[in-house]
Amino acid sequence: MPAFLGITSFGGRDVNRDRIIVGAGTVVYDTVNLPPDSSSSTSAGGNGVSLRIPWYDDETSGTFSPSTGEYWFHGRIFTALNNTNNDTLRLGVARNGSEHVTVSAEDSTNKLVIRVAGSIRATAASAALSVGTWARVHCHVSGVTAGSVVSVYMDGDLSTPVVTYTLIGADATALSAAGLPNEFMVVGKSGDGTGRFDDLFALDPIDAQAPGIQFLVSADIAEQVVNGAGSFTDWLGSYADIDERPASSADKIVASAVGETSSFVKAPIGQDNVFAVKVMVNMSRTGTAAGANVIIGTKEGADTEGRTVPAPGSGDVQAIFQVAPDGTAWSPTKYDATEIAFTSET
């Protein structure tokens, strides 16, 4: 399994393009109310909105899960209310819709709450969500067996958790029945129409390519669209045809034969670090003259890395690149020099 299981900052600005399963409510995309220290240009939320965001593994048509019961998840939360609906808030992970571990808030106090398999298990002594302020939440789950510990950290302080909980036998049984998480679970507070979420990621720390969590204290997710031609230009059309958000099916590049490649560049990232790169593409396939698959790739000079995924008749595909095309860790310099490439494949 990969180091980064899921990465989401709602940059597709459409529930289909962001591959969100909406269980309730209407998603509001917001380009104004953003975390003050984030590179994200989009947040999302809404009154009582309920979202599942699977960690798609399009190469296998499955989903990613942590290699063991240990994992981290992170997210940003904005709430405008402190009321008796605080307990309807959820930020965490699930398994095919079954709540795994989530962070919520206590009614009337906004103190952070740990929920396990749908049950409230621990409440912070004092740490609470502040009304009208973005909060950063890291959660570490050390395992899914009895005695494993869930620890929640707030606002980048990873030395002292604000609330912890040790799993008991009933928790282990419930989590085992559900299986390891394979998606984000996000629920907006009931009655809070301006509640927002942003900068979600889930990390498998066991993976050899995983950065230490200390490097992700102030992590965010920068959204970019391509803005120039790369080394290959086989597909009909140009970067100007695929730079909209949300993506438009009427504006596209087209491959007509197997083995055609087009690549594209982006603006400089302008960040201190880059740890993973996620590529999201909306695609339509009208036949098999160009093959039934597409290779989503990254290219830096002579170095390339690709993911072969089935090309949908109409839908979305994605790939997370854990390392740079040369097989080493990403850096801003490597990212800036990397082209995003697409190749039609049999």
Side-chain angles (χ1 to χ4, degrees):
M1 294 301 166
F4 283 92
L5 304 163
I7 302 171
T8 299
S9 65
F10 307 104
R13 298 181 184 173
D14 175 270
V15 294
N16 295 310
R17 302 295 75 82
D18 283 322
R19 304 181 79 179
I20 294 173
I21 300 170
V22 181
T26 300
V27 179
V28 177
Y29 282 89
D30 196 331
T31 59
V32 177
N33 185 5
L34 305 170
D37 54 349
S38 174
S39 302
S40 172
S41 60
T42 315
S43 64
N47 180 9
V49 67
S50 177
L51 312 177
R52 294 167 49 203
I53 310 167
W55 303 333
Y56 288 109
D57 176 7
D58 285 335
E59 279 190 295
T60 67
S61 299
T63 52
F64 292 119
S65 291
S67 53
T68 67
E70 183 181 4
Y71 59 88
W72 283 88
F73 67 80
H74 167 277
R76 310 294 294 273
I77 304 172
F78 178 93
T79 178
L81 297 175
N82 174 16
N83 59 18
T84 56
N85 291 328
N86 294 343
D87 66 328
T88 60
L89 180 74
R90 304 281 187 279
L91 170 63
V93 298
R95 173 76 184 192
N96 298 335
S98 296
E99 187 175 349
H100 204 265
V101 174
T102 62
V103 175
S104 184
E106 184 180 57
D107 285 349
S108 303
T109 69
N110 255 345
K111 292 178 181 177
L112 291 187
V113 170
I114 293 174
R115 295 171 54 92
V116 178
S119 297
I120 295 173
R121 289 309 197 195
T123 303
S126 59
L129 299 175
S130 297
V131 170
T133 301
W134 280 92
R136 183 188 295 276
V137 174
H138 288 77
C139 181
H140 178 239
V141 179
S142 70
V144 293
T145 58
S148 299
V149 178
V150 179
S151 302
V152 177
Y153 303 84
M154 195 171 181
D155 294 333
D157 180 0
L158 297 184
S159 60
T160 306
V162 296
V163 58
T164 63
Y165 173 68
T166 301
L167 300 186
I168 60 174
D171 302 318
T173 298
L175 295 178
S176 176
L180 293 174
N182 64 353
E183 61 189 3
F184 294 115
M185 172 176 279
V186 176
V187 180
K189 186 183 300 183
S190 178
D192 188 358
T194 60
R196 299 288 183 265
F197 300 91
D198 205 355
D199 291 330
L200 277 59
F201 72 78
L203 180 73
D204 183 348
I206 304 301
D207 190 278
Q209 296 173 339
I213 195 64
Q214 70 272 17
F215 295 108
L216 302 170
V217 169
S218 58
D220 59 15
I221 300 168
E223 308 151 25
Q224 291 192 305
V225 295
V226 295
N227 68 350
S231 304
F232 298 97
T233 56
D234 293 341
W235 292 43
L236 180 66
S238 73
Y239 70 90
D241 298 307
I242 55 172
D243 62 352
E244 300 91 0
R245 287 195 291 167
S248 168
S249 58
D251 207 8
K252 57 188 178 292
I253 58 173
V254 179
S256 57
V258 172
E260 293 184 340
T261 300
S262 276
S263 61
F264 304 92
V265 297
K266 333 63 69 198
I269 191 66
Q271 299 297 310
D272 293 332
N273 297 287
V274 175
F275 295 106
V277 174
K278 178 179 177 179
V279 180
M280 303 178 66
V281 186
N282 179 239
M283 184 176 300
S284 296
R285 178 174 56 83
T286 58
T288 57
N293 300 290
V294 64
I295 301 174
I296 302 175
T298 57
K299 177 183 183 299
E300 180 192 2
D303 295 317
T304 61
E305 184 183 6
R307 304 274 190 277
T308 301
V309 301
S314 178
D316 297 85
V317 292
Q318 65 188 44
I320 298 177
F321 295 90
Q322 311 286 335
V323 295
D326 65 0
T328 64
W330 284 104
S331 70
T333 300
K334 288 181 179 294
Y335 175 80
D336 289 347
T338 294
E339 300 176 10
I340 306 300
F342 308 103
T343 301
S344 51
E345 181 69 10
T346 56

